[in-house]
Amino acid sequence: MPWYLYLALKQLFPSDRRISFFFLISVCGVMLGVMILVIVQSVMGGFGQTYRDKIVLTNGHIRIESGEAIYDYQTVLDMVDGMAEVQGASPYAHGVVMLQHDNRPAFPAIRGIDVEREPSVVPMQDFLQLGSLDDLDDDSVLLSRALAASIGATLGSTVEVYTPLMLDRLKDDEVLLPRELLVAGIYETGWNDFDSNTMVSTLRLMQELYNLEGAVHGVALRLRPGIDEAVVARHLNEILTGRKRAMTWLDMYEDWLWILQLEKNMMFFLLIFIVLVAAFVIAIAQLLTVVRKTKEIGLLVAIGGQPRQLVACFCFQGFFIGFLGTLLGIAVAMVALYFRNDIIHGFARLTGSQEVLVKFYQFAQLPAHYALGDFIVISLSALVLTTLASLVPAFRAARMKPAEALRSE
Amino acid sequence: MNDFGKELQVRQVTKSFVSGGQPIEVLKGVDLTVESGASVSIRGESGSGKTTLLNIIAGLETADSGTVSLNGLRIESLSESKLALVRGKEVGMVFQAYHLIPELDVAENVLLPARIVGLMGRPQRDRALELLKKVGLGDRLHSSPSQLSGGEKQRVALARALMNRPALILADEPTGNLDEKTAKGVIGLIFDICRDENSSLVMVTHNPNFAAKTDRQLLLHNGLLTNIVK
């Protein structure tokens, strides 16, 4: 080992085993910064991953739409059914209706699904808290839990549905009679966008309500695991006819995902300041060391040391503090993340905020996603900052004139 | 022991400092020759430039003019890295204030010059042990410098200076911080070991009795070196 690395380690871990207080404080500073960064980035990543999973779970990977009714959707289905990358495909029609129960109105989005095909794309049966998908027919609907609660409907209730088409009939002075439908199930997916105000009907009922004459609004696809949806969408766009376009879930939720990433990046930017403060602590501690060890620095040059080796000695100390702080920070963060749900639930129990946690964040469990990229970025940032922090004292040591250093009082 | 068959030659070295806006010429053309294995003492008033002269010989300071040759090498013409290597291998320095590294134990302090010149192995460890035995600290290898007395620290510093078998030992008031009895012991060691190792010695001291032990006694006065007849 080169002498300057050896001496750097010895100054951090002296032979008489009295570890420097400055060293401990500096390591703790970096450790805290890295720990908080890892926890926050992992939890933010966990939220992001959970949202991504929910989006894919409730929408499929790709949707083919044209902006208008698609009459030849069977051709599209035949085409995608023949593709090896596609695990399942299901046509759908969607729109907005007015819903009423016990004189309580709501204006939910409605999605008409092919009951036979839908499970291969969206596992609706898994989301049902009450009822069964088998009970869904042309005279019944499934309501989201929030929607059912808002109009006071439950399993077996009868709800009245008004569609925009009925407005035309109103203009012709026709008697407006709503469509009465039975609530065959109540679902909750965990994805707020889908749960807040939606209902599900059969495709035939939706075609009837919207007078689609056998057409659909789109075809949803689920791909086999590991398939790149962008590649499949690009291929589909090359072969689809007319105005039909294939869009991935990433395209559809681009803004939402961008905001999610922006929030994560902002958190990183704000929290890296903790490491920056730790780096300042290291710089100050090292500067004090240089002042305190002026004569030793002179001696090292007198017995054959070179200024650039002194720079390496001090920079290595900064690097090592950063390295140790980063390792400890990651280790403590992993422990904290492992017990995150116990910590959160303990805190929620203490403050009585457990319901709030579930209501607003929709997660009974705090998600965490360990991304190697996050760990690398956090570790490199901490190492670079702490090493750079040592440069100022290192150059100060290297610029010392040995004769003056040896004479210093 | 070593092949320092040549000599230290200092020729017409001048050095001045600026103090209070006024240039002060400390060395006014110093000449000095030290044969291989010889010992020289330099005495002089405080501020007469003794330490400056030693620093110039060691390449820690540059002279305004003049030359310093060590082992046939012109110190002032060497690159920084080459000069560092010469300092590490050919020159051993002993200071009044010992300058031991507090984070290293006794043995590690003695081994440090060998580490710096890139020599580290069993022979170096044996050499360090041998030197520490010579200076009477063979049983204090793993003591911390803070556990040593002033005399013991100076003996460790002496062992460190001799670690790389330097051709030249520069001792700057090595007994300045020691009581008379301890100082006598340390001076005795310096002379004994320099003789054993065939190292040349240039020693700055205020003590005429210690100076009298050297082969030549010089006085630095008014920026010039003059011989003191024994």
Side-chain angles (χ1 to χ4, degrees), chain A residues 1-3 6-7 10-16 18 292-293 295-296 298-309 401-403 406-407, chain B residues 17 51-52 55 60-61 80-81 84-85 87-88 91 93 95 97-105 108 112-113 115-117 144 146 160 164:
Chain A
M1 183 190 296
W3 71 268
Y6 170 80
L7 190 63
K10 277 290 177 182
Q11 285 180 342
L12 296 175
F13 304 103
S15 291
D16 58 7
R18 278 182 291 104
R292 201 160 41 89
K293 291 184 174 294
K295 286 188 176 185
E296 285 170 37
L299 170 88
L300 290 169
V301 177
I303 61 175
Q306 295 178 47
R308 62 183 169 81
Q309 293 171 326
K401 291 181 177 168
L406 284 166
R407 280 197 194 106
Chain B
F17 295 103
T51 300
T52 301
N55 286 338
L60 296 174
E61 278 185 75
E80 192 179 84
S81 56
L85 199 64
R87 265 200 302 264
V91 181
M93 294 191 81
F95 305 94
Y98 332 124
H99 298 322
L100 300 181
I101 306 288
E103 291 86 0
L104 304 182
D105 65 22
E108 290 165 343
L112 190 58
R115 279 188 187 279
I116 287 181
V117 297
S144 163
S146 61
R160 180 182 64 193
N164 289 341

Side-chain angles (χ1 to χ4, degrees), chain A residues 152-226:
Chain A
T154 185
L155 188 67
S157 301
T158 299
V159 294
E160 295 171 343
V161 173
Y162 299 83
T163 69
L165 284 180
M166 291 176 179
L167 290 174
D168 293 332
R169 287 157 62 186
L170 260 179
K171 287 176 193 167
D172 297 335
D173 291 333
E174 288 186 31
V175 176
L176 192 61
L177 287 175
R179 181 71 188 264
E180 289 191 343
L181 299 168
L182 190 71
V183 177
I186 290 173
Y187 60 84
E188 185 167 37
T189 64
W191 170 231
N192 195 46
D193 201 36
F194 201 75
D195 288 342
S196 59
N197 196 23
T198 60
M199 57 189 283
V200 172
S201 70
T202 62
L203 183 60
R204 269 192 306 276
L205 175 61
M206 185 59 193
Q207 286 168 331
E208 183 191 319
L209 291 172
Y210 263 68
N211 198 23
L212 285 171
E213 297 172 346
V216 299
H217 286 132
V219 175
L221 309 183
R222 175 166 293 277
L223 305 181
R224 293 188 191 286

Side-chain angles (χ1 to χ4, degrees), chain A residues 305-316:
Chain A
Q306 295 178 47
R308 62 183 169 81
Q309 293 171 326
L310 288 172
V311 171
C313 180
F314 281 94
C315 279
F316 180 71

Side-chain angles (χ1 to χ4, degrees), chain B residues 1-228:
Chain B
M1 294 289 281
N2 62 55
D3 59 354
F4 184 48
K6 295 157 191 163
E7 55 194 14
L8 166 69
Q9 286 192 334
V10 179
R11 291 285 172 267
Q12 288 299 305
V13 164
T14 65
K15 181 74 179 177
S16 57
F17 295 103
V18 177
S19 178
Q22 296 292 314
I24 300 170
E25 203 169 7
V26 181
L27 303 176
K28 298 175 180 173
V30 169
D31 288 313
L32 172 66
T33 301
V34 182
E35 302 291 340
S36 172
S39 60
V40 171
S41 64
I42 300 173
R43 289 162 62 193
E45 294 168 0
S46 293
S48 58
K50 304 182 295 294
T51 300
T52 301
L53 178 59
L54 288 196
N55 286 338
I56 289 171
I57 292 171
L60 296 174
E61 278 185 75
T62 50
D64 295 340
S65 65
T67 60
V68 176
S69 298
L70 180 63
N71 262 358
L73 291 169
R74 291 277 292 272
I75 294 289
E76 61 277 359
S77 64
L78 296 175
S79 66
E80 192 179 84
S81 56
K82 184 76 179 165
L83 182 58
L85 199 64
V86 168
R87 265 200 302 264
K89 285 188 169 173
E90 303 293 349
V91 181
M93 294 191 81
V94 183
F95 305 94
Q96 180 180 350
Y98 332 124
H99 298 322
L100 300 181
I101 306 288
E103 291 86 0
L104 304 182
D105 65 22
V106 165
E108 290 165 343
N109 264 290
V110 174
L111 278 165
L112 190 58
R115 279 188 187 279
I116 287 181
V117 297
L119 298 170
M120 198 57 208
R122 171 55 61 188
Q124 282 69 38
R125 288 180 213 285
D126 291 345
R127 164 84 176 154
L129 182 62
E130 174 202 334
L131 284 168
L132 283 168
K133 279 181 180 168
K134 272 188 183 176
V135 298
L137 293 170
D139 57 342
R140 304 293 299 273
L141 297 182
H142 302 298
S143 296
S144 163
S146 61
Q147 296 168 323
L148 302 179
S149 68
E152 288 171 329
K153 283 179 185 170
Q154 194 57 292
R155 283 189 274 160
V156 175
L158 177 61
R160 180 182 64 193
L162 290 158
M163 181 65 213
N164 289 341
R165 301 179 196 279
L168 176 65
I169 296 289
L170 300 174
D172 188 2
E173 298 187 43
T175 58
N177 281 358
L178 305 176
D179 62 72
E180 197 174 337
K181 189 182 169 195
T182 310
K184 272 184 184 171
V186 168
I187 284 292
L189 273 173
I190 290 176
F191 280 98
D192 288 349
I193 295 176
C194 281
R195 191 171 49 246
D196 290 351
E197 305 267 332
N198 196 32
S199 294
S200 305
L201 171 69
V202 177
M203 179 172 72
V204 166
T205 180
H206 286 293
N207 189 314
N209 295 328
F210 298 156
K213 288 176 176 285
T214 57
D215 299 332
R216 280 166 62 206
Q217 295 180 59
L218 301 172
L219 178 70
L220 183 58
H221 180 67
N222 237 350
L224 292 169
L225 275 177
T226 52
N227 276 306
I228 301 172

